[in-house]
Amino acid sequence: MKANLTGVGWVNTAGAGWGRQGPFRAGGDGPLPKLSRKDVSPGSFPRFGRMDSYSRLGVSAISLALKDAGLDEWTDPREIAIIASTVYGCLKTDEDYCDTVIPEGGRLASPHLFVYALTSTFLGEAAIHFGLSGPSFALSESVLSGLPGVSMAMRGIGKGEYDSALAGVCDAGAPPALAGIGRSVPGALFFVLQNENSSRRPSYGTLTQNGSGTLFYDGKEVEDLNTLASICTASIT
Amino acid sequence: MESGAVPLREVWITDACAITAAGDSLEATWQKVISGTTAIGEIDRFPTQAYRSTVAATIRGLEAVGPGSLVSTILDRLLGQLNGAPTDALVIAATTKAGIDNLEKMRRGLAFDPGDILPSSIGEKVAAKLGLRGGVMTIGAACASSTIAVAQGAAMISSGSVESVLICCADAMTEFLFSGFSALQALSGVACKPFDKDRSGLSPGEGGAFLLLMSSTRARQKGHMPLCIVKGFGIADDAFHVTAPDPKGLGLLRAASNAIALAGIEKGDIAGISAHGTGTIQNDLMELTAFHTLFDGDCPPLYSVKGCIGHTFGAAGGIEVALGTKTLLEQTIPPTVGFVNPERGAEGLVGSKPVSMAGDYLLTTNSGFGGINAAIILKRPGSY
């Protein structure tokens, strides 16, 4: 399996950015930058302010990755897949929603919060705003990696199920009571992977996958997605 | 085929089980579905005075063990019926909300097991309980979660990445989900009526399924026979609305078309459709539109099992594939429980009684929030 890496976008505690803007810097634990509609889209995006923080995080990183790959503007829907890995997903939103259900025996249950009580809702938001009509789903992990999701995207491209895919990670952090269950660093990081014929911009490099599923970037084994982002954006000045 | 190209490998379903409100096994669930009666009834799990409905399809006697979640009990019951799985099997789990009842307990200050709450816990528990070492994935894609799990499992086997995959899906009927759909005004006040012109919403359900997928090569080596063959799959997003389907059904149309193309068959080979059929006004209309477009006026009979077992959310697709193996084996299109007066476009396609089926291929589809659609083509096995 083989795919070109043509875009990378991220939001983490070190800031928000995209590959051709400057080198990736990994984040750590701590507060994420406050995101506004303007970080995501130059045009109208009325739903952005209504989203929960997990969805805003994911949609923002997807937006930056698409911008980096020259795919942020569109007229007709594109068959681009999205595979997002997460540990805690929307659990903070779940907590907020629960707190609208409990006090009055359900009378105050918030339909607005409930819509965002799925790990995959933000993928639908991204699909609508950016015209992405390929497969989309979330992969839940106990320790955040994202590599299996990238492998699945590579397989889909390799088998011709779609020409392009966004694959990466999105986590807004753990609810306090679950901090010891699972492991992730808050932030979102997405890559745009494309087959040879689909790229609008020059590729950063080539991802390949061997028979046992191990990923290689320009021939070197990929250890984790942060390292991949660092390597592919290192030459950007 | 290109010179040197490797043909896709055949994917067999060699074992399947479903646990629903209609029965504690695939056979019991099938018999209830075929009987044309519903398992949807009054809820006694939590107070319902504040909600738009008082009915759902709950599994009789389902109780959490200690601080565990209901989903853990469903998984235990499911895995008790598994006749072994290869130790190198990859586990692909699917759920929308895993042990969300334990998050509810946490917010209410009750004892709970935090290990049940993360969605990833489903697949990890299955792998640990069975001693499987082929890896674990947990897929979340709203009500298409387990359909996509089947598609991804089949894709990985057919491409040669793995030899066997254990699909395991489960969701429980919790106040979290019930209150949410009530707040969205999506609940039917009575047992749901898929494809009926008087339908008014969905009825929540609960349950789980496992499906053991193997390459035909591995299955033959192990002496397994196929219950069914996964011939094709397709996944597509509407890119239209977060909670409402595209009225034209374009996403479902593309998912189903891709599945048929991958299966290498003609549309006319499809002898039946296991539809999502939630009983909401928008979903059922969208499906009828998509299927009529896809089959160009020659749509095969279609059915929904949700009038019997309720909407089992992330587990729906897996349960419906398991029941689809029975549809093909028994050559019987099940009745759509609750269906009386056809919605326009459902006349002559949906029925309230079981009817004979004549053919080898079943299309089974699901759609969910976020505009996601997934389709699977199942084939009745021939002689092996």
Side-chain angles (χ1 to χ4, degrees):
Chain A
M1 303 292 178
K2 182 178 166 186
N4 288 336
L5 199 165
T6 60
V8 53
W10 62 88
V11 179
N12 60 34
T13 56
W18 65 95
R20 288 173 177 84
Q21 179 196 40
F24 170 80
R25 285 193 300 145
D29 288 320
L32 291 163
K34 206 166 173 59
L35 298 163
S36 74
R37 178 189 59 78
K38 288 177 186 168
D39 296 317
V40 174
S41 176
S44 171
F45 196 167
R47 291 189 60 84
F48 189 78
R50 292 169 57 86
M51 293 181 201
D52 67 334
S53 56
Y54 166 69
S55 296
R56 279 202 295 267
L57 178 64
V59 167
S60 298
I62 284 172
S63 162
L64 296 169
L66 288 171
K67 179 179 187 171
D68 197 36
L71 295 170
D72 51 337
E73 294 183 359
W74 60 284
T75 48
D76 296 318
R78 292 85 49 91
E79 198 147 337
I80 298 176
I82 324 173
I83 302 175
S85 299
T86 184
V87 173
Y88 301 107
C90 56
L91 281 175
K92 284 183 174 173
T93 309
D94 292 350
E95 284 190 322
D96 292 343
Y97 173 71
C98 263
D99 293 345
T100 70
V101 175
I102 293 169
E104 296 286 334
R107 280 185 183 79
L108 304 178
S110 166
H112 173 71
L113 284 172
F114 184 69
V115 168
Y116 292 100
L118 287 168
T119 53
S120 58
T121 301
F122 83 94
L123 305 178
E125 294 281 15
I128 295 163
H129 191 71
F130 296 107
L132 312 174
S133 62
S136 64
F137 55 90
L139 281 180
S140 290
E141 302 178 321
S142 56
V143 177
L144 194 62
S145 156
L147 288 174
V150 172
S151 290
M152 290 174 105
M154 296 268 298
R155 191 202 51 73
I157 292 170
K159 293 296 173 189
E161 291 171 32
Y162 37 82
D163 294 334
S164 306
L166 285 143
V169 296
C170 178
D171 234 313
L178 300 179
I181 311 287
R183 199 165 72 237
S184 79
V185 175
L189 168 63
F190 279 90
F191 297 89
V192 177
L193 311 177
Q194 299 190 274
N195 68 17
E196 284 178 330
N197 303 322
S198 306
S199 308
R200 286 193 187 172
R201 297 221 165 122
S203 164
Y204 285 103
T206 303
L207 272 174
T208 53
Q209 191 176 22
N210 66 14
S212 59
T214 306
L215 286 170
F216 298 87
Y217 176 72
D218 284 347
K220 194 172 175 185
E221 185 174 339
V222 176
E223 294 174 9
D224 58 72
L225 294 191
N226 277 356
T227 305
L228 176 61
S230 296
I231 293 170
C232 74
T233 62
S235 60
I236 305 296
T237 55
Chain B
M1 187 184 300
E2 282 176 43
S3 173
V6 179
L8 291 177
R9 304 191 308 166
E10 195 161 82
V11 180
W12 289 5
I13 298 176
T14 61
D15 196 3
C17 178
I19 287 178
T20 68
D24 240 1
S25 66
L26 178 55
E27 183 61 30
T29 297
W30 170 255
Q31 290 301 331
K32 180 79 173 173
V33 168
I34 284 293
S35 77
T37 57
T38 187
I40 298 167
E42 292 290 321
I43 297 167
D44 58 8
R45 189 169 291 167
F46 48 80
T48 54
Q49 291 92 331
Y51 303 128
R52 297 173 63 86
S53 176
T54 61
V55 299
T58 53
I59 297 173
R60 190 175 299 170
L62 184 72
E63 289 182 0
V65 177
S69 82
L70 291 169
V71 157
S72 292
T73 309
I74 293 172
L75 284 177
D76 285 343
R77 290 191 188 183
L78 262 179
L79 297 182
Q81 298 186 54
L82 178 65
N83 299 312
T87 53
D88 65 349
L90 165 69
V91 175
I92 304 185
T95 184
T96 56
K97 296 309 299 175
I100 195 67
D101 47 335
N102 274 8
L103 191 85
E104 290 180 45
K105 290 182 204 166
M106 182 178 91
R107 303 308 283 178
R108 291 179 191 274
L110 304 172
F112 71 102
D113 179 355
D116 284 349
I117 295 176
L118 290 186
S120 58
S121 66
I122 302 262
E124 287 174 356
K125 279 187 179 186
V126 171
K129 202 171 180 86
L130 300 175
L132 305 183
R133 299 191 296 272
V136 177
M137 291 178 173
T138 301
I139 287 178
C143 302
S145 298
S146 50
T147 329
I148 292 177
V150 174
Q152 292 301 320
M156 293 174 85
I157 292 173
S158 66
S159 65
S161 302
V162 294
E163 289 295 328
S164 63
V165 174
L166 180 64
I167 307 291
C168 207
C169 55
D171 263 316
M173 209 292 291
T174 61
E175 188 167 2
F176 186 101
L177 285 166
F178 196 83
S179 62
F181 283 103
S182 179
L184 288 173
Q185 304 189 28
L187 292 184
S188 173
V190 295
C192 68
K193 299 164 171 283
F195 301 111
D196 190 289
K197 70 178 181 185
D198 298 321
R199 70 194 181 281
S200 59
L202 63 86
S203 296
E206 63 188 353
F210 70 69
L211 299 155
L212 184 57
L213 274 52
M214 281 191 202
S215 69
S216 55
T217 309
R218 167 65 71 87
R220 283 192 178 96
Q221 285 170 355
K222 295 288 182 185
H224 294 293
M225 298 299 286
L227 296 175
C228 217
I229 300 161
V230 182
K231 287 296 288 184
F233 53 83
I235 311 167
D237 200 288
D238 291 342
F240 175 77
H241 193 276
V242 169
T243 56
D246 174 2
K248 294 178 181 168
L250 294 179
L252 178 58
L253 184 60
R254 277 188 295 112
S257 299
N258 291 345
I260 290 168
L262 187 61
I265 61 174
E266 301 296 325
K267 289 176 207 171
D269 294 328
I270 305 286
I273 303 172
S274 170
H276 192 43
T278 60
T280 65
I281 290 171
Q282 291 171 313
N283 174 81
D284 294 6
L285 268 182
M286 176 279 285
E287 285 193 273
L288 289 169
T289 301
F291 293 138
H292 278 292
T293 306
L294 176 64
F295 291 99
D296 196 20
D298 195 18
C299 187
L302 62 93
Y303 67 92
S304 163
V305 297
K306 292 185 175 69
C308 175
I309 67 171
H311 189 345
T312 52
F313 306 112
I319 290 171
E320 288 160 21
V321 166
L323 287 167
T325 67
K326 296 291 291 182
T327 300
L328 283 167
L329 179 69
E330 305 290 342
Q331 288 286 284
T332 302
I333 299 287
T336 295
V337 181
F339 172 83
V340 179
N341 300 309
E343 173 58 89
R344 199 168 55 148
E347 306 95 338
L349 298 182
V350 184
S352 56
K353 299 239 181 308
V355 294
S356 294
M357 175 184 182
D360 292 334
Y361 294 93
L362 179 75
L363 168 66
T364 176
T365 70
N366 297 93
S367 304
F369 277 11
I372 192 66
N373 304 274
I376 304 285
I377 303 283
L378 298 177
K379 180 180 183 291
R380 180 169 63 148
S383 302
Y384 289 91

